[in-house]
Each structure stands twice: as C-alpha cells, then as structure tokens.
Amino acid sequence: MIKMLATMLVMVLLFLGGVLFGIDQASEGVTEIRGYSTDSLKEAVQTDKNKQDNYQIEVMGQEFEQVSVEDKEEKFQEIDDSHMTQKIAGTLEQSVKWVYNGLIQSAHELVKSFF
C-alpha cells in the first residue's frame, strides 16, 4: 500500500513538473514570436528622423511612420467614397427585394384565387 502511494506521488510530481516545464517553454516561444525577445526597452524602440522632419519609429519589429493630416484626409475620402458605393448597392438591393416580393405576392394571390 505504501509502495503504491509513493509511486503515485512520484508520478504526480513528475506530471506536474512536466506541465510547468511545458508552460514555461510555451511562454518563451510566444514571447519570441511576438518579438518581445529584447530585454531592454532601448533595443525594442528605435527612432530615426527623416529629411522632411518626419520620425520613423520601430517598436519591436513593426515600423510606424509619421503621417500628415492631408494624407489621412485623403484616406478618409477614399473610405467615404466606398461607403457611397455601398449605399448605392444597398438601395439597389432593397429595390430588387421590393420588386421580387411584389411579384411573389401577386403570384400567391393569383394561385390563391384558383383554390
């Protein structure tokens, strides 16, 4: 009985040790994949100044660049124009549904009058 209990205790300890080791290895792998492998913040964040007084910032492998307000307005106009296309498509969809439902309703009334 004591031998079996000691064996079970050793097995449980080995299992829990393996689980903790696996969790640690997985955590390190995720950290490396996300780019957090640098230990200091100075290595993680790097800044460069362009000729046009724009800053380029690299944070953990991803580059960010200073964008002017005019460029952002142009992007917004492009998105807004695509919304106009979506509004036209939605209106067209509504009208096709209305015509189709009217056609089905009239066909239903016609069939209903025969029976």
Side-chain angles (χ1 to χ4, degrees):
M1 178 82 172
I2 293 177
K3 186 177 181 181
M4 185 182 77
L5 203 58
T7 305
M8 290 294 287
L9 182 63
V10 169
M11 289 175 63
V12 167
L13 288 176
L14 286 175
F15 175 73
L16 290 176
V19 167
L20 291 175
F21 179 74
I23 289 173
D24 184 50
Q25 290 295 318
S27 175
E28 287 178 12
V30 168
T31 301
E32 288 178 14
I33 287 173
R34 289 187 178 172
Y36 300 143
S37 60
T38 58
D39 291 332
S40 70
L41 188 60
K42 290 183 181 182
E43 292 177 13
V45 178
Q46 298 173 356
T47 60
D48 295 327
K49 191 171 186 179
N50 287 349
K51 296 174 185 173
Q52 297 98 6
D53 291 334
N54 290 341
Y55 286 99
Q56 278 187 322
I57 300 172
E58 184 176 334
V59 178
M60 296 191 188
Q62 288 186 333
E63 292 185 10
F64 297 96
E65 188 174 338
Q66 182 180 1
V67 181
S68 67
V69 174
E70 291 83 19
D71 293 340
K72 288 185 179 182
E73 285 179 359
E74 287 177 12
K75 283 184 180 180
F76 177 73
Q77 285 294 356
E78 291 174 7
I79 292 170
D80 195 34
D81 292 341
S82 70
H83 285 305
M84 184 62 166
T85 307
Q86 290 175 353
K87 288 179 183 177
I88 291 171
T91 305
L92 183 64
E93 175 194 11
Q94 297 274 335
S95 61
V96 167
K97 275 186 179 179
W98 181 77
V99 169
Y100 182 74
N101 285 337
L103 214 136
I104 295 295
Q105 186 72 14
S106 61
H108 176 67
E109 292 295 326
L110 183 66
V111 170
K112 193 174 165 184
S113 65
F114 286 122
F115 295 106

